[in-house]
Amino acid sequence: MNRTVESKNKALVLEAFDTLFNKRDYAAAEKFWSPHYIQHSAHIAPGREGLFDLIKSLPPTLKYEHGAIAAEKDIVIVHGRFSNFGLPVNWIAADIVRVHEGVLVEHWDVIQDEATQEQSKSGQPMFGRTFATYASAR
């Protein structure tokens, strides 16, 4: 496997996430996710249908932003932020995706609530260069 394949896999994952999470184009998103997609997340029901049904159940204000992305062979890891999806705080996620023959075939994630500046012991934001602000403190 070479860097070209890894670069293609990163671009594929970013396009897939934007198509599903931001554009909400489910027909177009089907081409990115295998019909035999394996879901390891505790927050999502099994398969491609479980993922799509979850997104359909969330408010249309859902926004996904990607940050750092890395790939090695068939694995892509994206650091991202999910916001405006009905919870009082944003989620910061490391999504780990396995790509096979140009489609997403398997997924794991690590998710945290995004901290405000007052909550951050490190003094650094969890995503991007600015801290999250919320209407009410937790």
Coordinates of all heavy atoms in Angstrom, one line a residue, residues 5 8-17 27-38 48 51-52 73-76 96-108:
V5 N -2.7 5.6 -2.2 CA -3.9 4.9 -1.7 C -4.4 5.5 -0.4 O -5.6 5.7 -0.2 CB -3.7 3.3 -1.6 CG1 -4.8 2.6 -0.8 CG2 -3.4 2.7 -2.9
K8 N -6.1 8.7 -1.0 CA -7.4 8.5 -1.6 C -8.4 8.0 -0.5 O -9.6 8.5 -0.5 CB -7.3 7.4 -2.7 CG -6.7 7.9 -4.0 CD -6.7 6.8 -5.0 CE -6.0 7.3 -6.3 NZ -5.8 6.2 -7.3
N9 N -7.9 7.2 0.4 CA -8.8 6.7 1.5 C -9.2 7.9 2.4 O -10.4 8.0 2.8 CB -8.1 5.6 2.3 CG -8.1 4.3 1.6 OD1 -8.8 4.1 0.6 ND2 -7.3 3.4 2.1
K10 N -8.3 8.8 2.7 CA -8.6 10.0 3.5 C -9.7 10.8 2.8 O -10.6 11.3 3.4 CB -7.4 10.8 3.8 CG -6.4 10.1 4.8 CD -5.4 11.0 5.3 CE -4.4 11.4 4.3 NZ -3.2 12.2 4.9
A11 N -9.5 11.1 1.5 CA -10.4 11.9 0.7 C -11.8 11.3 0.7 O -12.8 11.9 0.8 CB -9.9 12.2 -0.7
L12 N -11.8 9.9 0.5 CA -13.0 9.2 0.5 C -13.8 9.3 1.8 O -15.0 9.6 1.8 CB -12.7 7.7 0.2 CG -13.9 6.8 0.3 CD1 -14.7 6.9 -1.0 CD2 -13.5 5.4 0.5
V13 N -13.1 9.2 2.9 CA -13.8 9.3 4.2 C -14.3 10.7 4.4 O -15.5 10.8 4.9 CB -12.8 8.8 5.3 CG1 -13.4 9.2 6.7 CG2 -12.6 7.3 5.2
L14 N -13.6 11.7 4.1 CA -14.1 13.1 4.3 C -15.3 13.4 3.4 O -16.2 14.0 3.8 CB -12.9 14.1 4.0 CG -11.8 14.1 5.0 CD1 -10.7 15.1 4.6 CD2 -12.3 14.3 6.4
E15 N -15.2 12.9 2.2 CA -16.4 13.1 1.3 C -17.6 12.3 1.8 O -18.7 12.8 1.8 CB -16.0 12.6 -0.2 CG -17.2 12.9 -1.1 CD -16.8 12.5 -2.6 OE1 -15.7 12.1 -2.8 OE2 -17.7 12.7 -3.4
A16 N -17.4 11.1 2.3 CA -18.5 10.3 2.8 C -19.1 11.0 4.0 O -20.4 11.1 4.1 CB -18.0 8.9 3.2
F17 N -18.3 11.4 4.9 CA -18.8 12.1 6.1 C -19.6 13.4 5.8 O -20.7 13.6 6.3 CB -17.7 12.4 7.1 CG -17.2 11.2 7.9 CD1 -17.4 9.9 7.5 CD2 -16.6 11.5 9.2 CE1 -16.9 8.9 8.3 CE2 -16.2 10.4 10.0 CZ -16.3 9.1 9.5
A27 N -29.1 8.9 -0.5 CA -28.9 8.1 -1.8 C -27.4 8.2 -2.2 O -26.8 7.1 -2.5 CB -29.8 8.6 -2.9
A28 N -26.8 9.3 -2.2 CA -25.4 9.5 -2.5 C -24.5 8.8 -1.5 O -23.5 8.2 -1.9 CB -25.0 10.9 -2.7
A29 N -24.9 8.8 -0.2 CA -24.1 8.2 0.8 C -24.0 6.7 0.7 O -23.0 6.1 1.1 CB -24.6 8.6 2.2
E30 N -25.0 6.1 0.1 CA -25.0 4.6 0.0 C -23.8 4.1 -0.8 O -23.3 3.0 -0.5 CB -26.3 4.1 -0.7 CG -27.5 4.2 0.2 CD -28.7 3.6 -0.4 OE1 -28.7 3.1 -1.6 OE2 -29.7 3.5 0.3
K31 N -23.3 5.0 -1.7 CA -22.1 4.5 -2.5 C -20.8 4.5 -1.7 O -19.9 3.8 -2.0 CB -21.9 5.4 -3.7 CG -21.4 6.7 -3.5 CD -21.1 7.5 -4.8 CE -20.4 8.8 -4.4 NZ -20.1 9.6 -5.6
F32 N -20.8 5.2 -0.5 CA -19.6 5.2 0.3 C -19.6 4.1 1.4 O -18.5 3.8 1.9 CB -19.5 6.6 1.0 CG -19.3 7.7 0.1 CD1 -20.4 8.6 -0.2 CD2 -18.1 8.0 -0.5 CE1 -20.2 9.7 -1.0 CE2 -17.9 9.0 -1.3 CZ -18.9 9.9 -1.6
W33 N -20.8 3.6 1.8 CA -20.9 2.7 2.9 C -21.3 1.3 2.3 O -22.3 1.2 1.6 CB -21.9 3.1 4.0 CG -21.3 4.0 5.0 CD1 -20.7 3.6 6.2 CD2 -21.2 5.4 5.0 NE1 -20.3 4.7 6.9 CE2 -20.6 5.8 6.2 CE3 -21.6 6.4 4.0 CZ2 -20.4 7.2 6.5 CZ3 -21.4 7.7 4.3 CH2 -20.8 8.1 5.5
S34 N -20.5 0.3 2.7 CA -20.8 -1.1 2.2 C -22.2 -1.5 2.8 O -22.5 -1.2 3.9 CB -19.7 -2.0 2.8 OG -20.1 -3.4 2.6
P35 N -22.9 -2.3 2.0 CA -24.2 -2.9 2.5 C -23.9 -3.8 3.7 O -24.8 -4.2 4.5 CB -24.8 -3.6 1.4 CG -24.0 -3.2 0.2 CD -22.7 -2.6 0.6
H36 N -22.6 -4.3 3.8 CA -22.2 -5.2 4.9 C -21.4 -4.5 6.0 O -20.6 -5.1 6.7 CB -21.4 -6.4 4.3 CG -22.1 -7.0 3.1 ND1 -23.3 -7.8 3.3 CD2 -21.9 -7.0 1.8 CE1 -23.7 -8.2 2.1 NE2 -22.9 -7.7 1.2
Y37 N -21.6 -3.2 6.1 CA -20.9 -2.3 7.0 C -20.9 -2.9 8.4 O -22.0 -3.2 8.9 CB -21.5 -1.0 6.9 CG -20.9 0.1 7.8 CD1 -19.7 0.6 7.5 CD2 -21.7 0.7 8.8 CE1 -19.2 1.7 8.2 CE2 -21.2 1.8 9.5 CZ -20.0 2.3 9.2 OH -19.5 3.3 10.0
I38 N -19.8 -2.9 9.1 CA -19.7 -3.4 10.5 C -19.6 -2.2 11.4 O -18.6 -1.5 11.3 CB -18.6 -4.4 10.7 CG1 -18.7 -5.6 9.7 CG2 -18.5 -4.9 12.2 CD1 -17.5 -6.5 9.6
R48 N -25.1 -0.3 8.0 CA -25.3 1.0 7.3 C -26.6 1.6 7.7 O -26.8 2.8 7.9 CB -25.1 0.7 5.8 CG -25.3 2.0 5.0 CD -25.0 1.7 3.5 NE -26.1 1.0 2.9 CZ -26.1 0.6 1.6 NH1 -25.0 0.8 0.9 NH2 -27.0 -0.1 1.1
L51 N -26.6 3.4 11.0 CA -26.0 4.7 10.9 C -26.9 5.7 10.2 O -27.2 6.8 10.8 CB -24.7 4.6 10.2 CG -24.0 5.9 9.9 CD1 -23.6 6.7 11.1 CD2 -22.8 5.7 9.0
F52 N -27.5 5.3 9.1 CA -28.4 6.2 8.4 C -29.6 6.6 9.2 O -30.1 7.7 9.2 CB -28.8 5.6 7.0 CG -27.7 5.6 6.0 CD1 -26.3 5.8 6.3 CD2 -28.0 5.4 4.7 CE1 -25.3 5.8 5.4 CE2 -27.0 5.4 3.7 CZ -25.7 5.6 4.0
K73 N -2.4 2.2 5.7 CA -3.0 1.1 4.9 C -4.5 1.3 4.7 O -4.9 2.4 4.2 CB -2.6 -0.2 5.6 CG -1.2 -0.5 5.6 CD -0.8 -1.8 6.2 CE 0.7 -2.0 6.3 NZ 1.1 -3.2 7.0
D74 N -5.3 0.4 5.2 CA -6.8 0.6 5.0 C -7.5 1.3 6.2 O -8.7 1.3 6.2 CB -7.4 -0.8 4.7 CG -7.2 -1.8 5.9 OD1 -6.5 -1.5 6.8 OD2 -7.9 -2.9 5.8
I75 N -6.8 1.8 7.1 CA -7.4 2.5 8.3 C -7.3 4.0 8.2 O -6.2 4.5 7.9 CB -6.8 2.0 9.6 CG1 -7.0 0.5 9.8 CG2 -7.4 2.7 10.8 CD1 -8.5 0.0 10.0
V76 N -8.4 4.7 8.4 CA -8.4 6.2 8.4 C -8.9 6.6 9.8 O -10.0 6.1 10.2 CB -9.2 6.7 7.3 CG1 -9.3 8.3 7.4 CG2 -8.7 6.3 5.9
I96 N -12.7 6.0 13.6 CA -11.7 5.1 13.0 C -12.5 4.2 12.0 O -13.5 3.6 12.3 CB -11.1 4.2 14.0 CG1 -10.5 5.1 15.1 CG2 -10.1 3.2 13.4 CD1 -10.4 4.4 16.5
V97 N -12.1 4.3 10.7 CA -12.8 3.6 9.6 C -11.9 2.7 8.9 O -10.8 3.1 8.6 CB -13.4 4.7 8.7 CG1 -14.2 4.1 7.6 CG2 -14.3 5.7 9.5
R98 N -12.4 1.6 8.5 CA -11.6 0.7 7.6 C -12.2 0.8 6.3 O -13.5 0.7 6.1 CB -11.6 -0.8 8.1 CG -10.8 -1.7 7.3 CD -10.6 -3.1 7.9 NE -11.8 -3.8 8.1 CZ -12.3 -4.6 7.1 NH1 -11.7 -4.8 6.0 NH2 -13.4 -5.3 7.3
V99 N -11.4 1.0 5.3 CA -11.8 1.1 3.9 C -11.4 -0.1 3.1 O -10.2 -0.6 3.3 CB -11.2 2.4 3.2 CG1 -11.5 2.5 1.8 CG2 -11.6 3.6 4.0
H100 N -12.3 -0.6 2.3 CA -11.9 -1.8 1.4 C -12.5 -1.6 0.1 O -13.8 -1.4 0.0 CB -12.4 -3.1 2.1 CG -12.1 -4.3 1.3 ND1 -10.8 -4.8 1.2 CD2 -12.9 -5.1 0.6 CE1 -10.9 -5.9 0.4 NE2 -12.1 -6.1 0.0
E101 N -11.7 -1.6 -0.9 CA -12.2 -1.5 -2.3 C -13.0 -0.3 -2.5 O -14.1 -0.3 -3.2 CB -12.9 -2.8 -2.8 CG -11.9 -4.0 -2.8 CD -12.6 -5.2 -3.3 OE1 -13.8 -5.3 -3.6 OE2 -11.8 -6.2 -3.5
G102 N -12.6 0.9 -1.9 CA -13.3 2.1 -2.2 C -14.6 2.4 -1.4 O -15.3 3.3 -1.7
V103 N -14.9 1.6 -0.4 CA -16.0 1.8 0.5 C -15.7 1.6 1.9 O -14.7 0.9 2.3 CB -17.3 0.9 0.1 CG1 -17.8 1.2 -1.3 CG2 -16.9 -0.5 0.2
L104 N -16.5 2.3 2.8 CA -16.3 2.1 4.2 C -16.9 0.8 4.7 O -18.1 0.6 4.4 CB -16.9 3.3 5.0 CG -16.2 4.7 4.9 CD1 -16.1 5.2 3.5 CD2 -16.8 5.7 5.8
V105 N -16.1 0.0 5.3 CA -16.6 -1.3 5.7 C -16.7 -1.6 7.2 O -17.4 -2.5 7.6 CB -15.8 -2.5 5.0 CG1 -15.9 -2.4 3.5 CG2 -14.4 -2.4 5.4
E106 N -16.0 -0.7 8.0 CA -16.0 -1.0 9.4 C -15.7 0.3 10.1 O -15.0 1.2 9.6 CB -15.0 -2.0 9.7 CG -15.1 -2.7 11.1 CD -14.3 -4.0 11.2 OE1 -13.5 -4.3 10.2 OE2 -14.5 -4.7 12.2
H107 N -16.3 0.5 11.3 CA -16.2 1.8 12.1 C -16.1 1.5 13.6 O -16.8 0.7 14.2 CB -17.4 2.6 11.8 CG -17.5 3.9 12.6 ND1 -18.3 3.9 13.8 CD2 -16.9 5.1 12.5 CE1 -18.2 5.1 14.3 NE2 -17.3 5.8 13.6
W108 N -15.2 2.3 14.2 CA -15.1 2.4 15.7 C -15.1 3.9 16.0 O -14.7 4.7 15.1 CB -13.8 1.8 16.2 CG -13.6 0.4 15.8 CD1 -13.7 -0.7 16.7 CD2 -13.0 -0.2 14.6 NE1 -13.4 -1.9 16.0 CE2 -12.9 -1.6 14.8 CE3 -12.7 0.4 13.4 CZ2 -12.5 -2.4 13.8 CZ3 -12.2 -0.4 12.4 CH2 -12.1 -1.8 12.6

